mmCIF file of all heavy atoms in Angstrom:
data_model
loop_
_atom_site.group_PDB
_atom_site.id
_atom_site.type_symbol
_atom_site.label_atom_id
_atom_site.label_comp_id
_atom_site.label_asym_id
_atom_site.label_seq_id
_atom_site.Cartn_x
_atom_site.Cartn_y
_atom_site.Cartn_z
ATOM 1 N N LEU A 1225 11.687 -19.722 17.073
ATOM 2 C CA LEU A 1225 10.278 -19.608 17.465
ATOM 3 C C LEU A 1225 9.684 -20.988 17.757
ATOM 4 O O LEU A 1225 8.967 -21.170 18.743
ATOM 5 C CB LEU A 1225 9.487 -18.930 16.347
ATOM 6 C CG LEU A 1225 9.481 -17.413 16.303
ATOM 7 C CD1 LEU A 1225 8.753 -16.929 15.058
ATOM 8 C CD2 LEU A 1225 8.846 -16.823 17.544
ATOM 9 N N THR A 1282 -9.906 -5.713 16.009
ATOM 10 C CA THR A 1282 -10.889 -4.673 16.345
ATOM 11 C C THR A 1282 -10.254 -3.518 17.104
ATOM 12 O O THR A 1282 -10.955 -2.682 17.673
ATOM 13 C CB THR A 1282 -12.033 -5.266 17.181
ATOM 14 O OG1 THR A 1282 -11.500 -5.902 18.349
ATOM 15 C CG2 THR A 1282 -12.814 -6.291 16.367
ATOM 16 N N PHE A 1306 -5.405 -22.262 4.577
ATOM 17 C CA PHE A 1306 -6.011 -21.196 3.772
ATOM 18 C C PHE A 1306 -7.508 -21.045 4.049
ATOM 19 O O PHE A 1306 -7.993 -19.914 4.209
ATOM 20 C CB PHE A 1306 -5.759 -21.466 2.279
ATOM 21 C CG PHE A 1306 -6.272 -20.389 1.373
ATOM 22 C CD1 PHE A 1306 -5.473 -19.309 1.027
ATOM 23 C CD2 PHE A 1306 -7.563 -20.449 0.857
ATOM 24 C CE1 PHE A 1306 -5.949 -18.311 0.176
ATOM 25 C CE2 PHE A 1306 -8.054 -19.462 0.019
ATOM 26 C CZ PHE A 1306 -7.233 -18.383 -0.323
ATOM 27 N N ALA A 1336 -3.015 -11.011 2.502
ATOM 28 C CA ALA A 1336 -2.873 -12.443 2.793
ATOM 29 C C ALA A 1336 -3.532 -13.327 1.736
ATOM 30 O O ALA A 1336 -2.946 -14.318 1.297
ATOM 31 C CB ALA A 1336 -3.447 -12.756 4.172
ATOM 32 N N GLY A 1344 -11.132 -13.584 -6.069
ATOM 33 C CA GLY A 1344 -11.947 -13.702 -4.869
ATOM 34 C C GLY A 1344 -11.744 -12.543 -3.921
ATOM 35 O O GLY A 1344 -12.705 -12.028 -3.328
ATOM 36 N N ASP A 1347 -13.495 -9.437 -5.314
ATOM 37 C CA ASP A 1347 -14.945 -9.548 -5.166
ATOM 38 C C ASP A 1347 -15.377 -9.100 -3.768
ATOM 39 O O ASP A 1347 -16.362 -8.362 -3.608
ATOM 40 C CB ASP A 1347 -15.396 -10.989 -5.420
ATOM 41 C CG ASP A 1347 -16.886 -11.171 -5.189
ATOM 42 O OD1 ASP A 1347 -17.685 -10.630 -5.978
ATOM 43 O OD2 ASP A 1347 -17.257 -11.852 -4.197
ATOM 44 N N VAL A 1355 -19.276 0.124 2.182
ATOM 45 C CA VAL A 1355 -19.314 0.602 3.563
ATOM 46 C C VAL A 1355 -18.850 2.055 3.617
ATOM 47 O O VAL A 1355 -17.767 2.398 3.130
ATOM 48 C CB VAL A 1355 -18.427 -0.267 4.476
ATOM 49 C CG1 VAL A 1355 -18.467 0.244 5.913
ATOM 50 C CG2 VAL A 1355 -18.884 -1.724 4.412
ATOM 51 N N ILE A 1364 -8.954 -0.918 2.302
ATOM 52 C CA ILE A 1364 -8.987 -1.292 0.888
ATOM 53 C C ILE A 1364 -7.800 -0.668 0.150
ATOM 54 O O ILE A 1364 -7.097 -1.339 -0.624
ATOM 55 C CB ILE A 1364 -10.310 -0.850 0.241
ATOM 56 C CG1 ILE A 1364 -11.502 -1.572 0.890
ATOM 57 C CG2 ILE A 1364 -10.291 -1.117 -1.262
ATOM 58 C CD1 ILE A 1364 -12.856 -1.036 0.454
ATOM 59 N N VAL A 1388 -11.602 2.534 -11.195
ATOM 60 C CA VAL A 1388 -12.437 3.297 -12.132
ATOM 61 C C VAL A 1388 -13.901 2.913 -11.960
ATOM 62 O O VAL A 1388 -14.796 3.781 -11.947
ATOM 63 C CB VAL A 1388 -11.975 3.052 -13.584
ATOM 64 C CG1 VAL A 1388 -12.978 3.647 -14.575
ATOM 65 C CG2 VAL A 1388 -10.601 3.654 -13.821
ATOM 66 N N LEU A 1439 2.485 0.874 -20.014
ATOM 67 C CA LEU A 1439 1.382 0.161 -20.649
ATOM 68 C C LEU A 1439 0.363 1.178 -21.166
ATOM 69 O O LEU A 1439 -0.562 1.567 -20.441
ATOM 70 C CB LEU A 1439 0.723 -0.804 -19.645
ATOM 71 C CG LEU A 1439 1.649 -1.841 -18.997
ATOM 72 C CD1 LEU A 1439 0.893 -2.662 -17.963
ATOM 73 C CD2 LEU A 1439 2.269 -2.749 -20.046
#
Side-chain angles (χ1 to χ4, degrees):
L1225 276 175
T1282 56
F1306 183 89
D1347 176 69
V1355 180
I1364 297 171
V1388 170
L1439 303 176

